[in-house]
């Protein structure tokens, strides 16, 4: 079944990730580049791959380093890989790792490369803090001044308001709306209750805690020894709350609409640090190099809508296209992994899947259908596990394929909503 084009099947051979840790905690001293390097090194070592087989490395990141914006190249310049590995960085907000995977897969389907590494990394502990235009202008003038008096004169232009730093906001540049405000809006439009959001968050934590305790989630996670002393080791996600309860969740105050809102710190994904990556190969390469793939990319699709409408609803437009390209339906899916940016978004996306109106907007006469909750995010999702923007897409692919194998399932669907009103869906398949 070769739907990606040119008759070449693209295999996902292996995948691994760092633990995901809440921003400002265990990984606060590790840059996204170093998280990416640690993850790729682990992938190469776990798969016993010779670095010289790797021809391309594609990485996603959402808030890049100003001094090293091509994170992919910085990651590729590691001792385990030859310097000739081509490497490029992609950005599609929270679907950036998905973009990295599909770009690398396209290169393989086109026959340009046979073996590639794709994934993403994010350090929300290390976001660049910018100077105001007034401060920056004064610094430039001072650096150009030829005399000490000229330098002092340039710097004397700085006013107290110029010293206020500018931090990147998780807001839409086109509308000014934050992600959280968008989730609030979607909850209201789709009539998603606070109770349903908190129940979904509780489910996410309970399932992620169970998946951690029984080792299913642990299998995709590498241990990270924390620099600079390397004395402590992080082996699991630190945002999962095994002991959270509906009572605790329902007591939290809304964050983004304090008076009438329903989105809280408990039913939103937390700001997170982490990296995740996968090894991709053409089917021929897996045979030639002797690898047993986890599965294959059967199809994928991206979609977008007006960010001023329902910012995180575009997976509803992407999923039917990916399913149609796979020539499959929701009923064929053994498992579904849906990125949980907010409980309100997950529940809105699920409603959208059942809606004829949304189906029509995607160009279909029938809705995607009702998702069987026993197949959805069976080891929790981003609300509990965390969400390093640039890495999540790769985490979801690996979680899905590992669990499909455990259940001896054949097909899995993953969806990711992203800033800018964008959405992603992919169907993966396993040979049984
Ligand atoms: C929602 C958000 C603002 C909360 O940030 P925060 O206030 O730093 O969150 P915290 O983890 O400190 O939680 C706040 C409180 O809720 C409590 N809490 C959070 N989750 C909880 C849970 N599951 N159970 C019980 N209590 C919980 C915390 O213990 C904390 O309590 P405290 O104030 O008594 O210490 C932040 O996580 C955010 O911006 N998330 C959205 C990110 C986003 O937009 N992503 C894009 C998606 S595509």
């Amino acid at each position: 079944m070769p739907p990606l084009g040119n008759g070449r099947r693209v295999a996902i051979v292996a995948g691994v990730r760092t633990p995901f840790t809440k921003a400002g905690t265990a990984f606060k001293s590790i840059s996204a580049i170093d998280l990416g390097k640690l993850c790729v090194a682990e992938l190469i070592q776990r798969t016993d791959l010779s670095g010289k087989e790797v021809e391309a490395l594609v990485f996603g990141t959402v808030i890049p380093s100003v001094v090293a914006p091509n994170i992919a190249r910085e990651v590729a310049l590691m001792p385990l890989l030859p310097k000739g590995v081509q490497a490029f960085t992609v950005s599609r907000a929270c679907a950036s790792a998905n973009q990295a995977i599909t770009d690398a897969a396209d290169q393989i389907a086109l026959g340009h490369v046979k073996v590639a590494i794709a994934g993403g990394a994010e350090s929300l502990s290390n976001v660049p803090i910018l100077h105001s235009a007034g401060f920056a202008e004064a610094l430039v003038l001072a650096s150009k001044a030829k005399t000490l008096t000229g330098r002092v004169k340039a710097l004397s232009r700085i006013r107290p308001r110029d010293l206020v730093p500018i931090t990147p906001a998780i807001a839409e540049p086109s509308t000014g709306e934050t992600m959280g405000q968008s989730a609030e809006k979607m909850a209201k439009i789709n009539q998603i209750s606070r109770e349903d959001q908190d129940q979904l968050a509780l489910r996410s934590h309970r399932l992620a805690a169970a998946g951690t305790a029984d080792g299913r989630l642990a299998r995709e996670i590498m241990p990270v020894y924390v620099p600079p002393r390397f004395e402590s080791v992080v082996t699991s996600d630190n945002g999962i709350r095994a002991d959270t309860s509906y009572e605790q969740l329902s007591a939290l105050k809304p964050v983004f609409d304090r008076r009438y809102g329903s989105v809280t710190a408990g039913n939103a994904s937390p700001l997170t640090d982490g990296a995740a990556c996968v090894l991709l190969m053409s089917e021929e390469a897996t045979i030639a190099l002797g690898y047993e793939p986890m599965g294959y990319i059967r199809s994928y699709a991206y979609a977008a809508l007006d960010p001023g409408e329902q910012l995180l609803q575009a997976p509803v437009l992407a999923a039917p296209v990916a399913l149609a390209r796979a020539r499959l339906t929701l009923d064929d899916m053994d498992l579904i992994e849906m990125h949980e940016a907010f409980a309100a978004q997950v529940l809105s996306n699920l409603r959208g899947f059942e809606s004829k109106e949304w189906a029509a907007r995607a160009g279909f006469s029938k809705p995607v259908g009702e998702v069987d909750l026993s197949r959805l995010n069976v080891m929790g999702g981003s609300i509990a596990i965390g969400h390093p923007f640039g890495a999540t897409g790769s985490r979801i692919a690996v979680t899905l394929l590992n669990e499909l194998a455990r259940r001896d399932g054949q097909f899995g669907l993953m969806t990711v909503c992203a800033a800018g009103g964008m959405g992603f869906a992919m169907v993966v398949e396993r040979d049984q």
Side-chain angles (χ1 to χ4, degrees), residues 109-197:
L110 284 166
H112 292 172
V113 302
K114 296 185 194 73
V115 178
I117 290 172
E122 203 77 45
S123 173
L124 292 176
S125 295
N126 291 293
V127 295
I129 309 287
L130 307 177
H131 290 309
S132 69
F135 191 62
E137 196 183 341
L139 287 182
V140 171
L141 285 175
S143 72
K144 283 185 181 160
K146 295 202 167 39
T147 62
L148 182 62
T149 324
R151 247 172 253 149
V152 172
K153 199 175 157 202
L155 293 175
S156 69
R157 294 158 50 110
I158 298 169
R159 298 284 164 266
R161 67 169 180 276
D162 294 330
L163 296 174
V164 178
I166 301 167
T167 48
I170 312 171
E172 284 299 298
S174 62
T175 63
E177 199 173 71
T178 65
M179 288 276 170
Q181 288 166 337
S182 305
E184 277 294 0
K185 193 163 88 180
M186 289 172 69
K188 284 167 191 142
I189 294 173
N190 300 304
Q191 298 178 327
I192 309 293
S193 69
R194 165 75 188 264
E195 184 181 348
D196 286 351
Q197 291 176 54

Side-chain angles (χ1 to χ4, degrees), residues 22 94 179 205 241 244 248-249 252 265-266 269-270 341-342 387:
K22 291 181 81 170
C94 299
M179 288 276 170
H205 281 280
R241 295 175 185 242
T244 195
Q248 285 175 30
L249 283 159
L252 297 174
S269 57
F342 298 90
H387 173 36

